[in-house]
Amino acid sequence: MDKTTSNEMWGGRFASGPSAIMEAINASIDFDKRLYREDIAGSIAHAEMLGSQGIISPADAAEIRRGLETIRTEIDEGRFAFSKAREDIHMNVEARLAELIGPAAGRLHTARSRNDQVAVDFRLFVKGAATDLDRALRALQEALLARAEEHAATVMPGFTHLQAAQPVTFGHHCLAYVEMAARDRGRVQDAIRRMDESPLGAAALAGTGFPIDRHRTAEALGFREPTRNSLDSVSDRDYALEFLAAASICATHLSRLAEEIVIWSTPQFDFVRLSDAFSTGSSIMPQKKNPDAAELVRAKTGRIAGSLVALLTIMKGLPLSYSKDMQEDKEQVFDAVDSLALALAAMTGMVSDLQVNAAKMRAAAGAGFSTATDLADWLVRELGLPFREAHHVTGRVVALAEERRVALEDLPLSDLQGVEPRIGEEIYSVLSVDASVASRTSYGGTAPDGVRAQVRAWRERLDAEG
C-alpha cells in the first residue's frame, strides 16, 4: 500500500497511519494525570517500604522520595510537561524521576506493576471522592434542617400523583430530604469501609517474590489493611461501581428536589422563589425568570447514572485479571465526581436561597378538599363508624362541597347533618389545614411539634459525628 492510499485510509489526524491511532487509543495521560497526587503518594510509600525491607538501599529510597516530591511540586505549579508518548501518569512520573535522580529511579518499580499501581491510585482517588461526597451531603442536611426549623409550622399541600392529598408542613417536606441524604451518606460510608484496602503489592496479578511489607504500605497510604487476593486486587473495580451506584441514587434524590423547585417556582404554584444567584432570564421574554440551577441539577443525574451504566458495561465480560478495557473506568468516575459535587453545591445553595411564599402554600393546602381524611377519621373516632362507611360518608360530603363550590370547613352544619345526622359542631375543629397538620402527632408525622423534635434529634446526631 502506498503512502497516498495509507493517508486516505487513516485520514485527518491519523494521517501517519496505524501508529498514530494506537497512540491515541492507548494513551490515557490526558485524563489520568488527575491521579498524580495519588500516584506519587503510592510511589513514596512503596519506595520507603522497599528501603526499610532492604530490597533497595536507604540512599536510593531517600533519593526517590526527594525526586517524587519535586515532581509533585512541578505538577502543582503547572511546570510539568506531560507527554502523550509516555502513555499514562505512571510512566510520565517515572521518566521525569529518571531525569532528576538518574539510575536510582529504575529501582522504584521493583516488586510492583502498573496493574497494582493504577489500582491503588484509583482506589485512593475514589476513597477521597467518597469522603468529600459524605461531607457535601452533610452540608445539604444542615441547610435543609435550617429551613425545616424555620418552617416547622408553615402549612403546604402534600401531594400524591402531583394532586393535593393532605396538608403537611414545609418543614416536614424538608426533613424528607434530610432522611434521603442520610441514607445516601450511609451508602457512601459503607462503600468507604469496603474499599478501605490497599492493592499495592499485588504486582501484575500473582504477587511478588520480594520480601515486601504490604501492611506497612497500606498503613502509610491510610488504608485499613491490604487486600487479600492478588488476582482480585488488580482486576476488579467494584469499589468504583459502588461509588457510582451511591452517586446515582444521591443524584436521583437531588433531581427530585430540583423538579419540585422547578414546579414550585412557576407562577401557577408560586410557592418559592429563587434569587438571581440561581436563576437566569430569557433572551427574548423579559418577564421570565428561569430556575436554571435546578434544571441543571436535574440534568446532571443523567450523566451520573450514565457513568454507572457505562462502567457496568465495561466490566461485565472481563476475565481475570487485568484487561486494558479498565482504562475506561476513570473518565466515568471523574465525570460523576465533578457532576455530583457541582449538583450538591448548587442544591445546598438553592435550599438556603429559597424565598418561601407561606401565604400561597397555605391557600393551596386547603384546595382539593385536602382535609377529607380528617373528616373520615373524626367519624371513626367520635361516632364509631367503620372506616369504610366513614369513607363513604366523607365522599358524599366532598361531593356536596364541590357542588356548592366551598371548602369543607365552610359547609353549614345543617348540610353536614343532612349527610350524617350525628355530626356535631365539634367537627369544625378538624376541618382546617392547621388542625389537620397539628393532629398528625404519630412518630414521624407532620405535626409542627414533631417536626421540631426531629430537627433537634438530627442536630444532635450531626453534632455527635463531630
Side-chain angles (χ1 to χ4, degrees):
M1 185 180 293
D2 62 28
K3 183 175 180 181
T4 302
T5 305
S6 175
N7 287 349
E8 287 174 354
M9 177 178 288
W10 302 115
R13 68 183 280 214
F14 300 122
S16 63
S19 62
I21 293 177
M22 188 59 199
E23 179 178 292
I25 198 171
N26 192 51
S28 58
I29 189 61
D30 287 345
F31 53 86
D32 70 15
K33 62 186 177 184
R34 182 165 177 171
L35 297 174
Y36 78 91
R37 285 188 164 275
E38 290 81 6
D39 192 70
I40 290 171
S43 290
I44 288 174
H46 184 67
E48 294 193 337
M49 179 275 296
L50 293 176
S52 72
Q53 294 293 103
I55 299 170
I56 66 174
S57 71
D60 281 346
E63 272 295 280
I64 289 170
R65 180 180 186 115
R66 181 186 64 78
L68 289 169
E69 289 175 343
T70 299
I71 293 169
R72 183 169 56 205
T73 300
E74 289 177 349
I75 300 176
D76 283 343
E77 295 176 354
R79 296 186 288 109
F80 189 93
F82 291 101
S83 167
K84 198 161 191 172
R86 289 173 178 147
E87 294 185 17
D88 56 31
I89 186 60
H90 323 299
M91 298 309 295
N92 270 262
V93 169
E94 188 171 321
R96 177 59 177 150
L97 185 63
E99 293 173 357
L100 288 172
I101 70 171
R107 302 188 189 282
L108 172 60
H109 213 53
T110 305
R112 76 171 182 183
S113 161
R114 274 197 290 179
N115 291 355
D116 63 337
Q117 188 177 0
V118 69
V120 76
D121 291 0
F122 197 37
R123 197 177 285 236
L124 278 170
F125 176 86
V126 176
K127 183 182 170 185
T131 302
D132 290 342
L133 173 56
D134 184 48
R135 281 195 291 262
L137 280 164
R138 174 177 172 149
L140 176 61
Q141 285 182 299
E142 290 170 342
L144 287 163
L145 285 171
R147 303 319 299 268
E149 183 175 45
E150 179 185 357
H151 293 284
T154 300
V155 177
M156 69 173 290
F159 298 96
T160 61
H161 309 280
L162 204 55
Q163 304 292 317
Q166 291 179 276
V168 295
T169 67
F170 185 60
H172 191 58
H173 202 105
C174 290
L175 285 176
Y177 286 101
V178 172
E179 297 287 341
M180 291 183 212
R183 293 192 295 276
D184 291 332
R185 293 186 66 195
R187 278 181 281 271
V188 170
Q189 290 163 5
D190 285 346
I192 291 172
R193 280 191 288 273
R194 274 184 285 278
M195 72 177 73
D196 200 16
E197 300 174 350
S198 172
L200 188 58
L205 74 161
T208 178
F210 288 96
I212 62 173
D213 185 347
R214 295 191 61 213
H215 288 84
R216 177 186 174 120
T217 52
E219 183 179 358
L221 292 170
F223 287 108
R224 181 182 66 248
E225 59 187 339
T227 53
R228 290 167 297 280
N229 183 282
S230 58
L231 276 170
D232 177 58
S233 300
V234 301
S235 65
D236 204 17
R237 294 295 184 269
D238 60 359
Y239 59 90
L241 287 168
E242 190 169 10
F243 172 82
L244 289 175
S248 296
I249 296 170
C250 174
T252 300
H253 288 155
L254 296 181
S255 185
R256 296 185 73 181
L257 180 52
E259 171 72 2
E260 293 191 314
I261 291 172
V262 169
I263 292 171
W264 292 342
S265 63
T266 61
Q268 291 77 13
F269 272 74
D270 195 23
F271 286 2
V272 301
R273 294 177 187 175
L274 289 169
S275 74
D276 292 348
F278 293 96
S279 306
T280 65
S282 166
S283 62
I284 190 172
M285 295 170 283
Q287 83 282 7
K288 292 288 294 298
K289 189 173 186 180
N290 302 320
D292 282 13
E295 292 171 4
L296 288 167
V297 167
R298 194 172 56 185
K300 294 288 185 189
T301 304
R303 293 178 67 125
I304 296 164
S307 293
L308 171 61
V309 173
L311 187 53
L312 283 167
T313 307
I314 288 165
M315 296 300 300
K316 74 173 183 64
L318 299 186
L320 299 182
S321 60
Y322 182 81
S323 297
K324 194 69 169 180
D325 310 52
M326 292 186 201
Q327 184 167 289
E328 295 295 312
D329 56 2
K330 294 165 199 64
E331 287 181 285
Q332 305 301 330
V333 171
F334 292 162
D335 188 76
V337 166
D338 294 342
S339 295
L340 187 53
L342 185 56
L344 269 167
M347 184 55 71
T348 302
M350 281 187 284
V351 167
S352 299
D353 180 77
L354 284 176
Q355 301 172 35
V356 175
N357 188 340
K360 198 66 181 277
M361 282 186 174
R362 172 177 289 278
F369 310 109
S370 63
T371 58
T373 303
D374 298 272
L375 171 57
D377 287 348
W378 185 90
L379 293 170
V380 170
R381 188 172 57 251
E382 301 298 328
L383 302 186
L385 294 183
F387 184 80
R388 287 302 170 200
E389 184 179 343
H391 188 283
H392 178 70
V393 170
T394 300
R396 291 172 59 195
V397 171
V398 168
L400 181 61
E402 193 170 31
E403 180 185 331
R404 302 282 175 83
R405 297 184 178 181
V406 297
L408 293 179
E409 60 189 298
D410 293 328
L411 279 172
L413 182 60
S414 58
D415 286 349
L416 294 171
Q417 291 175 334
V419 177
E420 168 51 63
R422 289 178 293 166
I423 292 177
E425 193 76 40
E426 60 273 19
I427 188 65
Y428 292 104
S429 67
V430 303
L431 293 183
S432 71
V433 292
D434 287 308
S436 176
V437 297
S439 72
R440 305 296 169 180
T441 56
S442 58
Y443 183 78
T446 193
D449 285 346
V451 170
R452 294 184 186 100
Q454 287 294 335
V455 170
R456 287 193 299 271
W458 267 111
R459 288 222 167 101
E460 289 170 5
R461 182 171 167 180
L462 293 181
D463 287 345
E465 290 178 6

